[in-house]
Amino acid sequence: MEPGVSRATPHPGVDLRGAGVSRATPHPGVTSMVPESTYNLDPGKPFTWPPAARINADKASFYRCGFVSVQGTLTDSEDRHYFENCYIEGALDFIWDNGRSIYHECKINVTAISEGVPGYITAQARDSTADNSGFMFKHGLIFGTGSAYLGRAYRPYAKVLFHRTKMSDVIVAQGWSAWDYVGRE
């Protein structure tokens, strides 16, 4: 089995926890890593959350990395994260949780979960107005073969910003789904 591929269980290919690197370190972070989860592609397996990576560390940074899965591709949990020039592929909630993250010049590939059923690129989990988590996408590209909403509110105060991001016609016209929080937008 290739490194970073999770076939036997729905555990992440990469699980990063703990403190990140110090500011004194020049160009800290992970470079050129591509964890992939193929769990949901195996026939007969129940469809489940199979992340390629789970980030639960402060000051974690990723440069020219790829993250590939179907659902929950990148679990972006807690604290500050920076992604630059990364490739992220998925169909359903594939960038999700409550990190405080910047995605700079990242390419997002939307794949189809099933014919005619749109997925969700983000599912941000900000719980309150005091919570400073959120996702910012800057100068990126969204493309693919499926269709998707930019995101859905995974928690009542979800915060996601797409700034100067090129979006192909894979984004559904509505753009955003309030999901269980309709009327609280």
Side-chain angles (χ1 to χ4, degrees), residues 48-67:
T48 188
W49 168 64
R54 177 172 48 205
I55 316 304
N56 191 5
D58 194 25
K59 300 179 188 175
S61 56
F62 302 86
Y63 301 88
R64 296 176 308 282
C65 295
F67 304 92

Side-chain angles (χ1 to χ4, degrees), residues 16 49 53-59 72 74-81 83 93-103 122-128 130-137 152-160:
L16 300 172
W49 168 64
R54 177 172 48 205
I55 316 304
N56 191 5
D58 194 25
K59 300 179 188 175
L74 181 55
T75 306
D76 187 350
S77 296
E78 301 178 22
D79 297 318
R80 298 163 290 182
H81 311 131
F83 300 85
D93 301 337
F94 58 100
I95 302 169
W96 77 284
D97 214 354
N98 67 334
R100 184 169 56 167
S101 304
I102 296 173
Y103 294 83
T122 66
Q124 211 279 326
R126 185 171 172 243
D127 275 322
S128 72
D131 181 348
N132 62 5
S133 71
F135 302 150
M136 176 188 267
F137 296 84
R152 61 177 166 182
Y154 187 65
R155 295 285 188 260
Y157 296 92
K159 184 168 57 175
V160 178

Side-chain angles (χ1 to χ4, degrees), residues 27-113:
H27 303 290
V30 179
T31 303
S32 302
M33 168 185 76
V34 186
E36 178 179 6
S37 173
T38 58
Y39 184 83
N40 280 333
L41 301 179
D42 290 343
K45 296 239 189 223
F47 192 83
T48 188
W49 168 64
R54 177 172 48 205
I55 316 304
N56 191 5
D58 194 25
K59 300 179 188 175
S61 56
F62 302 86
Y63 301 88
R64 296 176 308 282
C65 295
F67 304 92
V68 179
S69 188
V70 176
Q71 179 183 6
T73 302
L74 181 55
T75 306
D76 187 350
S77 296
E78 301 178 22
D79 297 318
R80 298 163 290 182
H81 311 131
Y82 180 76
F83 300 85
E84 184 175 296
N85 213 2
C86 291
Y87 173 86
I88 305 165
E89 179 181 305
L92 183 63
D93 301 337
F94 58 100
I95 302 169
W96 77 284
D97 214 354
N98 67 334
R100 184 169 56 167
S101 304
I102 296 173
Y103 294 83
H104 186 250
E105 295 181 349
C106 291
K107 292 176 179 61
I108 298 171
N109 184 8
V110 177
T111 58
I113 195 162

